[in-house]
Amino acid sequence: MDNPVLVEVIRGNTVESRHRGSIAIVDADGKLAFSAGDVEQGVFARSAIKALQAIPLVESGAAEALSFDDAELALACASHNGEETHANSARIMLMKAGLSEDDLMCGPQWPKHMDDCVKLIKTDDSPCQLHNNCSGKHAGFLAMSKTLGMPTENYIDYDHPVQAEIRNVLEQMSGGIIASDNCGTDGCSIPTYAMELQKTALAFARFATGAGLDPVRADAAEMLYEACVNEPYMVAGKNRFCTEIMDIFQGRVFVKVGAEGVFCAALPELGFGVTLKCDDGADRGAEVMMASVIRSLMTLSDDEEKGLRNWEHQQLKNRRDILVGEVRPVEGFKQLLKTL
């Protein structure tokens, strides 16, 4: 099936481009509450499920043993900008475990923003693995390995105990089957799995509510949720959707981006998990979709409405800073979400 057009790009009075996508909104019992498009397709959620990948770090007791605070737990769930605060926090996480940057296997990466790149250049420094947007997640994997006496070498391999435990968490929380035949390699070199959109949404409904989880896992999910909404800057950084949305909603919403136009969200007060995919992989399309989903589902205060609108209707400006158009949800987005 062709997924519906959910977002359009307007220049002047004309639609210049369109973004198709699919959305699954699921409650903690596994019921599909709302949907759009093909929600049974296998989608690599990539970095959107980092909070689920961090659950073994907490429920194993490793995070407590190393005295990881909310900022460090949030960084373990992050796709960060590689700003100085992110790189330093990843370094501290490793130091607490008696490890260093040399133990990371995520690869070096330039920071996301030019001003942070310039800081490195001015000091004759080079980007390192601590600047990698996944360094916090990898620091968490290593910290768990070291604390529990697992090998720290090749912790990214499919058969490593950390990766095996992550598969166990994903299967239990989503009800899906996670195996080598739906496995790929993520940008940071760890295994990533193509999961049905609605099953990933179920995992986030359980992450939001603890329903269907044993008490230790439910407590770990709650701790990670609270860490991320308390320290949203560590999850992404300046000028980022995830950070700004969680800052706007002050604990009501957890949201996390993944590569290639994927987002996941947890909405505890509604008991919903959300997963969406922008078909063409565009961040702008996926951001507008997620902002529109939040608007469709939640009652907003004036401040929440104002902050959300900036992401739901993204201005397009030219090189002279002249407003020339916008990226926006299609007319009737809410009705489309309910009826498909």
Side-chain angles (χ1 to χ4, degrees):
M1 67 180 289
D2 286 336
N3 287 323
V5 174
L6 298 173
V7 175
E8 56 191 13
V9 183
I10 305 300
R11 188 175 296 271
N13 296 316
T14 301
V15 177
E16 184 174 34
S17 300
R18 297 174 176 86
H19 296 291
R20 294 181 180 271
S22 50
I23 302 170
I25 302 171
V26 177
D27 68 21
D29 293 324
K31 179 184 176 182
L32 189 64
F34 305 104
S35 67
D38 182 3
V39 298
E40 295 182 352
Q41 64 177 313
V43 170
F44 288 109
R46 306 282 296 276
S47 289
I49 62 167
K50 281 180 176 174
L52 307 183
Q53 293 169 328
I55 284 176
L57 170 67
V58 176
E59 68 179 9
S60 68
E64 182 179 9
L66 297 173
S67 300
F68 283 167
D69 60 19
D70 275 359
E72 290 157 348
L73 289 177
L75 195 73
C77 304
S79 296
H80 60 74
N81 286 338
E83 298 170 46
E84 187 174 0
T85 187
H86 301 128
N88 286 342
S89 290
R91 181 183 290 109
I92 291 169
M93 290 174 70
L94 291 167
M95 290 173 62
K96 285 183 175 182
L99 299 165
S100 72
E101 180 206 340
D102 292 338
D103 295 293
L104 292 171
M105 299 185 72
C106 51
Q109 182 180 5
W110 282 100
K112 184 176 180 66
H113 294 301
M114 183 62 70
D115 55 344
D116 296 302
C117 295
V118 169
K119 288 179 183 177
L120 291 177
I121 294 169
K122 283 184 174 180
T123 57
D124 291 325
D125 206 350
S126 299
C128 67
Q129 295 192 94
L130 295 170
H131 298 104
N132 186 298
N133 78 98
C134 298
S135 64
K137 175 180 71 177
H138 281 246
F141 294 162
L142 279 166
M144 177 180 168
S145 297
K146 182 68 177 292
T147 304
L148 301 184
M150 301 172 179
T152 54
E153 299 81 9
N154 301 317
Y155 65 89
I156 61 174
D157 288 355
Y158 181 90
D159 293 325
H160 190 278
V162 166
Q163 301 304 328
E165 186 55 32
I166 287 170
R167 285 193 294 278
N168 290 336
V169 169
L170 295 177
E171 285 190 336
Q172 192 260 342
M173 294 186 70
S174 71
I177 297 174
I178 312 299
S180 57
D181 61 351
N182 63 341
C183 179
T185 303
D186 213 332
C188 65
S189 297
I190 69 162
T192 184
Y193 306 96
M195 300 164 60
E196 290 182 25
L197 213 63
Q198 63 184 16
K199 290 188 182 300
T200 307
L202 171 58
F204 276 91
R206 289 173 169 167
F207 179 76
T209 63
L213 306 181
D214 66 62
V216 174
R217 184 155 295 170
D219 287 347
E222 182 179 10
M223 184 176 293
L224 289 165
Y225 183 99
E226 292 298 323
C228 290
V229 298
N230 289 339
E231 295 284 352
Y233 201 89
M234 301 307 293
V235 178
K238 60 189 173 188
N239 303 325
R240 294 284 301 280
F241 182 93
C242 297
T243 290
E244 293 197 10
I245 292 298
M246 287 191 284
D247 192 46
I248 290 165
F249 281 90
Q250 294 291 298
R252 298 181 69 199
V253 173
F254 167 87
V255 64
K256 182 68 185 66
V257 68
E260 296 297 326
V262 177
F263 266 100
C264 292
L267 310 175
E269 67 190 61
L270 301 177
F272 288 158
V274 182
T275 305
L276 64 81
K277 165 72 173 173
C278 181
D279 284 356
D280 60 14
D283 285 345
R284 67 180 186 182
E287 289 168 352
V288 171
M289 289 178 198
M290 182 54 79
S292 299
V293 166
I294 293 170
R295 176 183 298 282
S296 297
L297 296 177
M298 302 189 70
T299 302
L300 307 179
S301 68
D302 290 343
D303 287 343
E304 290 166 346
E305 149 67 28
K306 181 179 178 181
L308 188 64
R309 182 173 178 80
N310 292 333
W311 286 102
E312 188 182 24
H313 293 261
Q314 298 186 18
Q315 294 185 343
L316 293 178
K317 294 186 177 182
N318 68 10
R319 300 295 183 186
R320 296 180 59 215
D321 204 34
I322 297 171
L323 181 64
V324 297
E326 70 172 356
V327 188
R328 69 188 188 190
V330 297
E331 186 175 355
F333 180 96
K334 187 172 183 178
Q335 288 70 30
L336 185 68
L337 188 65
K338 286 185 175 181
T339 57
L340 285 178

